Amino acid sequence: MVSRVLGGSAWRFGAAVAALVLPLSVAEAHPRVLRAVPAAESHVPRAPRDLTVQFDEALSIALCRLALFDDAERPFLLDSLRVAPSDPKTLTARILGSLVSGRYTVRWQAAGADGHPVRGEYTFVVDASAEPPPVIDQPPEVATSRPDLTFGVSSPAYVTIRAIQSVALVCLIGLLALNLVVLPRFGWQTADEWPAVEVSAESASAAGAAAALWTFGAATLARLVAQHAAVFGATEGWSLASVSALTLHSAWGGAWWLAMVGTGIGLWATRRIRRTIAFGWTALVVATLAIILSVSMSGHAAVASSPLFAVTIHALHLLGAGGWVGSLSALVFVGIPAALRLPDEARHTAVAALVRAFSPTALAFAGLLALTGVIAAWRNLGTLNALWTDAYGQMLLAKLSMLTVAAAAGAYNWKRVLPLLGTETATSRLRRSASVELAAALLVLLITAVLVATPMPGDLASGM
């Protein structure tokens, strides 16, 4: 039934994979400081009137911060940041007040293409013989204020939001794989002997896809709130300037809009599917592709040295995860329950046929996941030694450990459980072992949410 309705479902899913390698426009690296005036660790003979910091890429001034503190951590008031139209890589701020002799610390912040705030600091010394600039009165209540930047991309709340996005996206990809790959194979192998299974699974999949999209959309809106707090401080109020800086003047904002548009198209597509209107599944594939790209463009891949290649690999990695783990979830919670609604004499035979249709596709997606994972890990780590000496590498090891558990459970299902299917006992055994595989995969997604916020080896955070 589903294979007849979808017709060319295989080429549609293949087209989605091919589209992942289309050119993308993303930035190349985290902003890094090239030079500063006064220079880092320098001794200046005259108290400076301005602070100047030059980065290696153009900046959105609304996402940047400069702050100046004396040796006692007392802040000095600075005028508004400025960036020259002819030099968008250099920030300048006028010092409102006079500096006496002593050591001063400059703290800066800029947002990278992945949306992660990049922060650093450096110091300089004003010599005792320095001539101060003209004194400009400094309002005490402003001079003693300091933005709260304790909330960041690695904060538990932000990690939770990313984890929810990941789970929703993996489930969405899995529902697509079930309907566009597994169920057509099931129909071909059984000569559409049980069309009710396909009809029931399709209906449940459309409802599940809608739930996944609503969840992803809500998490994406929450991520905007979290991103605002990470970039501008948890205590800073929202303004038109701050919101437009995030959503309209940054690469992260482009990815955020792509996610929201993809979510909207996807929800529209699920309504068409439930009304049995043509092209509903095709529209859902397009929406899911947009969401996959949005996630890839707002992570570490967006700041790689070769962002086009890195984003493509990350997108394929997500596709592999959804095609394996997500389709297993769809099989357990959608496909098998649909088969169990058949009469007693057919239900467990249908379950066996469904799992036989699922296994080769799951193996192919797992292979894609492993291949792209190895490529991404090598590019991100740089050296094998970083796997156990760096925090990013150690988190990656934890992810690999859970993936090994999930893969072992999958191998057990394939080699030991699949040949015995066809009875109620074997079906129950499959559901138990699949639950172990899904639990391990869920831990992988949670670890990945932390991994995204963990600085990669060699990633220059301080900039100086």
Side-chain angles (χ1 to χ4, degrees):
M1 175 68 73
V2 171
S3 58
R4 290 197 296 268
V5 172
L6 296 178
S9 60
W11 74 260
R12 290 173 187 162
F13 204 74
V17 177
L20 289 171
V21 298
L22 292 177
L24 303 172
S25 177
V26 292
E28 293 189 356
H30 284 135
R32 300 179 183 183
V33 173
L34 297 180
R35 72 181 187 90
V37 180
E41 300 303 324
S42 64
H43 287 253
V44 294
R46 178 179 175 84
R49 288 188 172 91
D50 301 284
L51 297 178
T52 300
V53 184
Q54 184 183 49
F55 292 83
D56 65 345
E57 66 177 68
L59 304 167
S60 172
I61 192 170
L63 300 181
C64 300
R65 292 287 187 272
L66 280 182
L68 177 65
F69 300 88
D70 65 13
D71 222 12
E73 284 295 302
R74 291 174 300 198
F76 278 77
L77 186 64
L78 302 178
D79 200 359
S80 300
L81 280 177
R82 305 186 305 277
V83 57
S86 59
D87 185 14
K89 300 179 181 180
T90 302
L91 296 176
T92 301
R94 174 62 55 93
I95 300 172
L96 300 181
S98 58
L99 304 186
V100 298
S101 60
R103 179 174 293 273
Y104 294 87
T105 300
V106 177
R107 296 193 175 100
W108 57 266
Q109 173 187 296
D114 58 359
H116 294 179
V118 182
R119 301 185 178 103
E121 64 178 50
Y122 63 92
T123 63
F124 65 90
V125 176
V126 176
D127 288 337
S129 59
E131 299 178 18
V135 175
I136 302 176
D137 290 337
Q138 180 173 247
E141 65 274 10
V142 177
T144 55
S145 65
R146 184 172 180 176
D148 177 15
L149 298 175
T150 56
F151 184 90
V153 294
S154 59
S155 300
Y158 208 150
V159 170
T160 301
I161 291 170
R162 281 196 302 270
I164 292 172
Q165 282 187 309
S166 297
V167 172
L169 178 55
V170 165
C171 289
L172 179 61
I173 297 171
L175 289 166
L176 278 173
L178 177 71
N179 282 271
L180 300 184
V181 182
V182 178
L183 288 180
R185 285 177 53 84
F186 172 78
W188 298 333
Q189 292 178 8
T190 61
D192 280 332
E193 184 179 355
W194 301 297
V197 173
E198 299 174 70
V199 172
S200 177
E202 182 181 29
S203 177
S205 293
L213 285 163
W214 279 114
T215 302
F216 183 88
T220 302
L221 288 173
R223 188 170 181 182
L224 177 61
V225 177
Q227 186 71 11
H228 189 280
V231 173
F232 300 110
T235 59
E236 183 166 333
W238 288 53
S239 67
L240 181 61
S242 63
V243 174
S244 63
L246 278 179
T247 59
L248 301 178
H249 302 291
S250 69
W252 183 92
W256 184 86
W257 278 114
L258 184 60
M260 293 303 297
V261 170
T263 300
I265 294 174
L267 289 171
W268 172 81
T270 59
R271 290 178 63 87
R272 294 180 66 90
I273 293 170
R274 284 179 283 183
R275 294 176 181 177
T276 65
I277 301 176
F279 302 113
W281 285 106
T282 302
L284 187 56
V285 168
V286 172
T288 303
L289 175 60
I291 293 173
I292 290 173
L293 291 178
S294 74
V295 173
S296 300
M297 292 167 61
S298 60
H300 282 315
V303 294
S305 56
S306 301
L308 172 60
F309 179 77
V311 168
T312 300
I313 290 297
H314 187 267
L316 291 172
H317 190 65
L318 285 173
L319 188 66
W324 169 29
V325 178
S327 63
L328 175 62
S329 174
L331 178 75
V332 170
F333 295 108
V334 174
I336 291 178
L340 292 178
R341 296 188 186 99
L342 294 173
D344 289 346
E345 63 275 10
R347 60 177 58 174
H348 297 294
T349 304
V351 168
L354 194 58
V355 175
R356 282 195 294 271
F358 162 79
S359 292
T361 60
L363 188 62
F365 280 117
L368 177 64
L369 177 71
L371 176 62
T372 53
V374 169
I375 295 173
W378 179 251
R379 286 178 58 85
N380 292 344
L381 287 173
T383 63
L384 185 62
N385 185 55
L387 195 59
W388 52 84
T389 59
D390 187 86
Y392 182 90
Q394 293 165 2
M395 191 62 63
L396 183 59
L397 274 179
K399 176 181 177 178
L400 292 175
S401 298
M402 287 298 100
L403 269 175
T404 301
V405 173
Y412 174 81
N413 290 334
W414 182 33
K415 289 293 188 180
R416 295 295 183 90
V417 180
L418 179 58
L420 302 176
L421 286 176
T423 65
E424 182 177 358
T425 301
T427 299
S428 299
R429 186 178 178 184
L430 171 68
R431 298 178 88 170
R432 288 195 299 270
S433 57
S435 297
V436 174
E437 189 175 350
L438 287 174
L442 179 60
L443 287 175
V444 170
L445 294 177
L446 295 176
I447 294 172
T448 301
V450 178
L451 194 63
V452 170
T454 304
M456 293 182 293
D459 192 18
L460 189 57
S462 66
M464 297 295 293

